[in-house]
Amino acid sequence: MTNFNTKKPAVFIFDLDGTITQEETLPVIAKACNVEAQINALTEQTIAGNVPFVESFIQRVGILGQFDIDIVKTALSKVKLFPKLTEFINSHPEQCAIATGNCKEWVNGITEKLDCACFSSDAIVENNKIVKLNSILKKEKIVEHYQSLGRTVVFIGDGNNDMEAMRLADVSIACGLTHYPANSILAIADYCVFEEASLLRLINQINSPQPGTSIVLSCAGIGSRLGLSKTKALIEIEGTKLIHLQLKAFEEVEDLRVVIGYQARSVVKAVLELRTDVVFVYNHDYFQTKTGTSLYLGARHANEYCVAWDGDLVVHPDDIQRCIGYDGEYVGGSRIISEDAVFLRVDDQNQVTSFSRECGDFEWSGPAKIQKKHIRYLTSNVFNQIEGLLPLPFLNIRAQDVDTYEDYKNAIKFVKSW
Ligand SMILES: [Mg+2]
């Protein structure tokens, strides 16, 4: 009898070039063979989109096939790999695979250091030279292969030729460890990371439930009510970008997840100015959805507890530690400030009993700390997410959110008062 409760472990498929290797390998090969000018010209045309990937690869093999395999293999065996990533792969060989468009004969010098399955392009070799390409790997076929075995597939890549595989994968991680990920994959990725440590943290979270707390900072929205034509994370308060105020508040937090959508690239840039170990989570549907969706996406592979924090929420620095360190679930609120507030009703046991549009004792400002297992998919607001969990303990904080221009002016006053 089939046991439907047995969940098969996820499979992690890694691109090789620039994802596991600490540098792109093509320039290394070109240098070893002394054909840098030719290869660089081809690479430029490929990146510009003038030469499709398969055509580019065939031309590349045409150029490099004139040289002994050993020259290429020796040059590549000296390329450094990301050490923690290599360690993860070699300690989970059954759960990992490499998918590289490169020829097996060339990348052997690298893949022999990795204990997992390796899928690559295949060629005919004569007299120690590649004379003919047999097959060019389609990475998406490897994704399909593992999915057909009932496995959840996570694809980690950085380039245009990873896009179809990432689109098909159950979870896709754009990897910015050696260079900025290709635009095409950022348009479909679930996550984006820029440091080995955050990639490893995310992989471990996807692989098995992790204890502790994650902060889910939702910065995906278009900020339409504010009228400054900017996502709220990028507006400035007293000369400091709001996102920088937030990053300062979360300095001590290890797992910080920033959900991005509108003006994603600018938000990423602003975050990277202060901190590179953040996990970026994409809400590609930011125009049709609200913060409840961003919270769901941000919490999807997070730690046991998630602190839901809107990108426009400014909390007094003295109250931030209570918000992050509070033991267990809570709902945060402040004294009533906004004109168009959602209110909280709080009973004499200090429990939030309901949300209301009409009246209440406090204003719902966020944050809220919720167990990840309680967070479900919805397209509405975070408070709709929490409603079904009430009653929950109330945390009274000094906070100001920035929904309207009036709020924005008040937020500036609030920050000045610290
Ligand atoms: Mg690559």
Side-chain angles (χ1 to χ4, degrees):
M1 205 175 90
T2 314
N3 182 354
F4 290 104
N5 290 323
T6 308
K7 204 169 165 245
K8 294 175 183 172
V11 172
F12 297 90
I13 306 177
F14 296 87
D15 161 55
L16 185 65
D17 233 3
T19 298
I20 295 175
T21 65
Q22 292 195 29
E23 58 186 320
E24 286 291 327
T25 61
L26 191 53
V28 175
I29 303 175
K31 195 173 176 205
C33 298
N34 214 6
V35 287
E36 283 160 293
Q38 245 178 309
I39 290 289
N40 286 348
L42 179 58
T43 304
E44 260 172 46
Q45 288 298 308
T46 310
I47 290 172
N50 298 331
V51 182
F53 173 76
V54 170
E55 185 180 327
S56 172
F57 184 67
I58 293 167
Q59 289 193 35
R60 189 199 303 175
V61 173
I63 298 167
L64 299 170
Q66 315 160 43
F67 300 94
D68 277 357
I69 287 171
D70 292 343
I71 297 176
V72 176
K73 201 181 156 182
T74 307
L76 288 188
S77 65
K78 291 174 189 150
V79 169
K80 285 204 179 85
L81 311 185
F82 284 105
K84 292 195 192 97
L85 212 48
T86 305
E87 204 181 296
F88 179 87
I89 291 168
N90 289 344
S91 57
H92 300 79
E94 301 297 324
Q95 273 188 269
C96 294
I98 308 296
T100 174
N102 246 317
C103 290
K104 175 173 75 206
E105 292 74 12
W106 284 337
V107 293
N108 270 346
I110 300 175
T111 54
E112 64 193 17
K113 296 172 189 166
L114 302 163
D115 291 337
C116 65
C118 179
F119 301 90
S120 53
S121 296
D122 193 37
I124 295 173
V125 176
E126 281 171 17
N127 298 324
N128 203 26
K129 289 185 172 62
I130 286 180
V131 291
K132 186 180 177 294
L133 268 173
N134 261 344
S135 64
I136 299 175
L137 183 80
K138 282 186 184 290
K139 299 187 185 194
E140 58 272 28
K141 296 286 174 204
I142 311 304
V143 175
E144 279 172 349
H145 163 71
Y146 283 107
Q147 283 175 334
S148 74
L149 301 176
R151 307 288 289 265
T152 298
V153 175
V154 184
F155 196 99
I156 302 105
D158 66 346
N160 281 320
N161 67 330
D162 298 315
M163 189 186 66
E164 290 306 327
M166 288 175 74
R167 194 202 295 279
L168 265 188
D170 301 281
V171 182
S172 60
I173 305 174
C175 193
L177 269 53
T178 49
H179 58 77
Y180 209 88
N183 285 329
S184 59
I185 66 168
L186 294 181
I188 50 107
D190 296 309
Y191 293 106
C192 183
V193 291
F194 291 88
E195 263 198 30
E196 192 185 11
S198 41
L199 176 57
L200 257 295
R201 191 169 69 234
L202 178 57
I203 285 175
N204 281 312
Q205 286 171 324
I206 295 170
N207 198 30
S208 60
Q210 301 289 320
T213 301
S214 302
I215 302 274
V216 178
L217 183 62
S218 295
C219 301
I222 62 172
S224 56
R225 279 202 287 161
L226 184 58
L228 293 178
S229 314
K230 261 186 196 175
T231 192
K232 289 190 264 185
L234 298 176
I235 59 166
E236 291 195 5
I237 292 181
E238 285 293 279
T240 304
K241 289 187 189 92
L242 189 44
I243 185 76
H244 285 178
L245 271 180
Q246 310 287 27
L247 291 176
K248 217 174 144 30
F250 304 135
E251 246 168 11
E252 307 289 319
V253 175
E254 189 195 25
D255 192 41
L256 176 58
R257 303 169 145 250
V258 180
V259 186
I260 51 178
Y262 185 58
Q263 297 184 308
R265 201 179 180 94
S266 303
V267 177
V268 169
K269 182 170 175 277
V271 170
L272 295 179
E273 283 164 8
L274 286 198
R275 188 168 170 174
T276 51
D277 67 343
V278 162
V279 170
F280 293 97
V281 183
Y282 281 93
N283 178 0
H284 295 292
D285 201 17
Y286 60 84
F287 191 72
Q288 315 285 351
T289 62
K290 291 185 174 157
T291 49
T293 311
S294 288
L295 173 60
Y296 165 80
L297 293 168
R300 207 171 142 207
H301 302 105
N303 292 339
E304 185 183 1
Y305 282 91
C306 291
V307 177
W309 200 294
D310 277 359
D312 69 347
L313 175 66
V314 185
V315 172
H316 195 287
D318 296 346
D319 293 346
I320 282 176
Q321 254 340 308
R322 286 197 298 141
C323 294
I324 298 169
Y326 188 94
D327 193 14
E329 295 183 314
Y330 71 79
V331 175
S334 61
R335 69 187 176 86
I336 296 162
I337 315 165
S338 312
E339 304 151 60
D340 187 23
V342 173
F343 302 101
L344 296 176
R345 290 202 181 91
V346 180
D347 69 9
D348 50 12
Q349 307 293 311
N350 200 41
Q351 298 281 312
V352 176
T353 54
S354 66
F355 292 92
S356 164
R357 280 281 183 192
E358 280 79 46
C359 61
D361 309 299
F362 294 92
E363 176 173 338
W364 154 244
S365 59
K369 190 171 183 176
I370 307 289
Q371 284 194 66
K372 184 181 71 175
K373 66 179 181 193
H374 289 155
I375 298 169
R376 63 195 196 282
Y377 179 81
L378 81 180
T379 54
S380 50
N381 301 290
V382 169
F383 76 83
N384 302 119
Q385 185 84 257
I386 298 169
E387 267 171 337
L389 305 173
L390 299 178
L392 285 173
F394 173 59
L395 195 65
N396 188 355
I397 55 167
R398 286 162 288 174
Q400 167 79 49
D401 66 356
V402 189
D403 282 328
T404 62
Y405 196 75
E406 199 56 34
D407 293 339
Y408 177 55
K409 287 192 288 185
N410 287 333
I412 293 171
K413 277 188 222 155
F414 178 52
V415 171
K416 274 186 176 169
S417 75
W418 293 351

